[in-house]
Amino acid sequence: MASGHSRKPSTRSSLPRRATKGPLDAVDDPLLVSTSNVPAENTSQSRSPLSPSTSASEQSPYPSTQDVPFAHDLSSLLDPQNYFDIPQDDIPDAFRIEPPNISSDEDSQVSIKRLDVFLQSKDYLSAAFLTGLILCSGSVSPTDHKLVFYLLSTRFACLSSYQSLAHIAAQESRILFGDINNEFWHIPISASASENSTFNPERASWSTHIIPYEFRLQINVLQTLTFTEGGRPDGRRGLTTLYELGLECRERALSPSLSSEDLLLWQNRLQELNVLVLNTLIEMEELETARRTLKNTLAQIDDSSLSLQTRVRFVLVLLRLGDIAAAQELLNMPPPGTPMSSLLQPLISVADGNYASAVSEFLDILKDGASSELAGVIKQNLAVCLLYSGQISETKSTLQGLVDDGYYFRSLTFNLATLYELTSDRSQALKLELVDRISRRGMGNGNGGKSNTDFKL
């Protein structure tokens, strides 16, 4: 695969912008109805747009356009010239791998099974290499939309799990897809399929997007990183695509034949977009716009239609904005006393500068019992509060205890490396010892692998 490329600008025209309000503006919104008669949200299936799935068989649970009888040629997505080499220079020696290979006559299904093994063992670096090889091997049909998009989504997510490689995923997403609202990615369908389509007023016809919704959201997040202004990501470009996705969510919800499950699906998607828009505005330092947008959003949403997951995200957004009182008020909304509410309360104490209360609250959660995954995050937050409280030795023992217990996520190693810098003249040696400890436990690739920056090397 080439490490460089040249590509002519696309001459395809984008679909015309529809004359309607943005997804955060409408008051009489079909997505704001009460969901009291709708099945509860299964938050366990929700994933970040950049998180790898654990298996090729774990396809997105959301409806896609793969069954549309249209042989759309995706040959441009299988061109090796559009992919970058994956360097390992910024990965510690202990975590580097020998890139996998595939034989010229290897069937794609055999390769997919190998990919499953890498994903299930969280060996995301090997998975990133292998997905690129499969895509460029010639064994994948350019009309097999489902497989092509799955492999690309997996590659982008695996690359993004490494801080030093995320820029490759961002660049490839822009090279391969360009403007995802371009009419090339839409196909005409009959009006009878309008519940899964959008209307193009310029052509007076119905069309559907061939890229599944979740993948488009992932592409948007990545492409935003490639547009910069003054050396920083230009969030305005990303906002445009988020608004387009929001418009689609509204149009889908207008279908009279929509089931209650599908209504909940599009409602949750719109709420997720609300959070992404707010975080983008904050990153752009448009804090007043973010405050006003969140206030209007909360005023329009029926309390019963606000999922617990979205409520948690809104609380975190309010904390980022420094509005502690509003965050507390939202957290106290019914139903009170949920496990997630108890996890957020210490964060409100931290935002308020009350570290002693936060320490006590985190300890109470641990005493009441927490899942292994949550316990790791809680203990790390506890360690940060202990540090701010001046209890350095307790902070160090808590973080090192997490490593001894088998935890090895990025913020943990970064925080521990920072503590070494603050407390020892041998910080570099201690960081290298930490790398060695984790690699000897066979955890080098788990939870997304490690970059030099994760250890402040």
Side-chain angles (χ1 to χ4, degrees):
M1 289 179 282
S3 58
H5 60 273
S6 59
R7 188 169 179 172
K8 295 180 180 179
S10 173
T11 57
R12 304 184 185 105
S13 60
S14 297
L15 286 175
R17 175 79 183 223
R18 285 154 285 187
T20 182
K21 295 182 179 181
L24 304 181
D25 296 333
V27 177
D28 51 342
D29 193 308
L31 303 187
L32 304 184
V33 300
S34 171
T35 58
S36 57
N37 298 321
V38 178
E41 175 187 20
N42 183 358
T43 57
S44 64
Q45 291 185 349
S46 179
R47 286 200 307 271
S48 162
L50 300 184
S51 300
S53 63
T54 57
S55 168
S57 60
E58 185 187 335
Q59 300 294 334
S60 169
Y62 305 118
S64 69
T65 62
Q66 307 305 327
D67 296 329
V68 176
F70 194 91
H72 212 63
D73 191 332
L74 302 179
S75 297
S76 62
L77 303 184
L78 306 178
D79 185 351
Q81 294 298 317
N82 291 330
Y83 294 88
F84 288 86
D85 293 329
I86 302 177
Q88 299 189 53
D89 307 51
D90 292 327
I91 297 175
D93 291 345
F95 302 130
R96 295 180 184 179
I97 66 166
E98 183 66 29
N101 291 307
I102 60 176
S103 60
S104 58
D105 58 347
E106 182 171 303
D107 183 77
S108 62
Q109 293 305 312
V110 174
S111 301
I112 291 297
K113 290 180 180 179
R114 293 175 59 197
L115 178 61
D116 279 347
V117 173
F118 289 142
L119 294 175
Q120 290 167 2
S121 62
K122 297 184 180 180
D123 185 353
Y124 296 151
L125 187 55
S126 294
F129 275 108
L130 185 58
T131 50
L133 292 173
I134 298 173
L135 285 163
C136 302
S137 65
S139 64
V140 178
S141 170
T143 58
D144 190 346
H145 302 171
K146 187 173 184 179
L147 180 57
V148 171
F149 291 145
Y150 167 73
L151 291 171
L152 282 168
S153 177
T154 301
R155 178 177 170 88
F156 292 163
C158 289
L159 288 172
S160 299
S161 68
Y162 287 81
Q163 189 171 358
S164 60
L165 301 178
H167 69 283
I168 295 179
Q171 291 292 342
E172 288 184 354
S173 70
R174 185 176 177 183
I175 293 167
L176 291 166
F177 292 96
D179 180 6
I180 59 174
N181 292 316
N182 192 295
E183 64 179 4
F184 173 78
W185 302 112
H186 291 75
I187 56 176
I189 59 176
S190 64
S192 62
S194 59
E195 64 270 16
N196 296 316
S197 61
T198 54
F199 187 69
N200 183 342
E202 186 176 87
R203 297 183 305 195
S205 62
W206 292 90
S207 68
T208 190
H209 209 297
I210 67 170
I211 305 176
Y213 175 90
E214 287 292 311
F215 189 26
R216 274 181 283 152
L217 185 59
Q218 181 186 24
I219 293 171
N220 173 76
V221 172
L222 287 170
Q223 289 190 350
T224 300
L225 302 177
T226 68
F227 300 109
T228 60
E229 182 176 343
R232 301 182 59 184
D234 183 7
R236 292 172 297 181
R237 300 291 295 269
L239 282 176
T240 300
T241 305
L242 290 177
Y243 279 124
E244 288 293 335
L245 290 172
L247 291 170
E248 178 180 348
C249 289
R250 295 184 180 286
E251 291 176 345
R252 295 290 193 269
L254 291 174
S255 172
S257 60
L258 199 67
S259 67
S260 59
E261 290 81 2
D262 286 340
L263 176 60
L264 178 61
L265 169 67
W266 291 109
Q267 179 188 55
N268 288 336
R269 285 178 171 177
L270 183 61
Q271 291 178 1
E272 180 182 17
L273 289 172
N274 286 334
V275 176
L276 290 173
V277 167
L278 290 167
N279 281 321
T280 300
L281 289 171
I282 293 173
E283 293 298 331
M284 294 168 59
E285 298 184 356
E286 295 286 347
L287 302 185
E288 186 56 40
T289 303
R291 291 190 185 96
R292 184 172 60 253
T293 300
L294 180 55
K295 181 180 179 180
N296 293 338
T297 300
L298 292 175
Q300 295 172 12
I301 296 180
D302 187 333
D303 290 352
S304 61
S305 68
L306 184 62
S307 69
L308 176 61
Q309 184 180 28
T310 303
R311 176 153 60 110
V312 167
R313 291 175 172 176
F314 282 157
V315 169
L316 295 176
V317 168
L318 285 167
L319 291 179
R320 291 189 69 187
L321 290 171
D323 196 339
I324 299 173
Q328 185 69 68
E329 180 181 356
L330 183 58
L331 186 62
N332 293 337
M333 282 175 51
T338 61
M340 192 59 68
S341 298
S342 63
L343 289 174
L344 288 176
Q345 189 60 53
L347 297 183
I348 292 181
S349 297
V350 171
D352 204 20
N354 195 344
Y355 302 116
S357 294
V359 168
S360 177
E361 289 162 350
F362 279 130
L363 289 173
D364 287 341
I365 296 173
L366 292 172
K367 290 178 182 177
D368 293 338
S371 66
S372 175
E373 181 179 357
L374 283 178
V377 177
I378 293 169
K379 288 181 180 178
Q380 180 184 231
N381 288 333
L382 170 63
V384 173
C385 293
L386 290 170
L387 178 62
Y388 287 141
S389 301
Q391 304 178 60
I392 296 179
S393 60
E394 290 84 351
T395 301
K396 187 175 182 179
S397 62
T398 300
L399 293 176
Q400 290 182 333
L402 283 170
V403 175
D404 293 337
D405 290 340
Y407 295 99
Y408 40 93
F409 42 89
R410 177 182 298 164
S411 55
L412 169 61
T413 57
F414 187 90
N415 286 338
L416 193 50
T418 301
L419 192 62
Y420 290 153
E421 292 177 343
L422 295 174
T423 60
S424 176
D425 294 332
R426 299 179 54 254
S427 62
Q428 186 72 4
L430 291 172
K431 294 174 191 176
L432 293 174
E433 289 176 9
L434 178 60
V435 170
D436 185 61
R437 286 171 60 195
I438 293 179
S439 65
R440 282 188 288 105
R441 293 175 66 96
M443 301 183 296
N445 290 308
N447 283 4
K450 298 288 178 246
S451 301
N452 284 331
T453 53
D454 299 334
F455 298 90
K456 303 188 74 172
L457 294 172

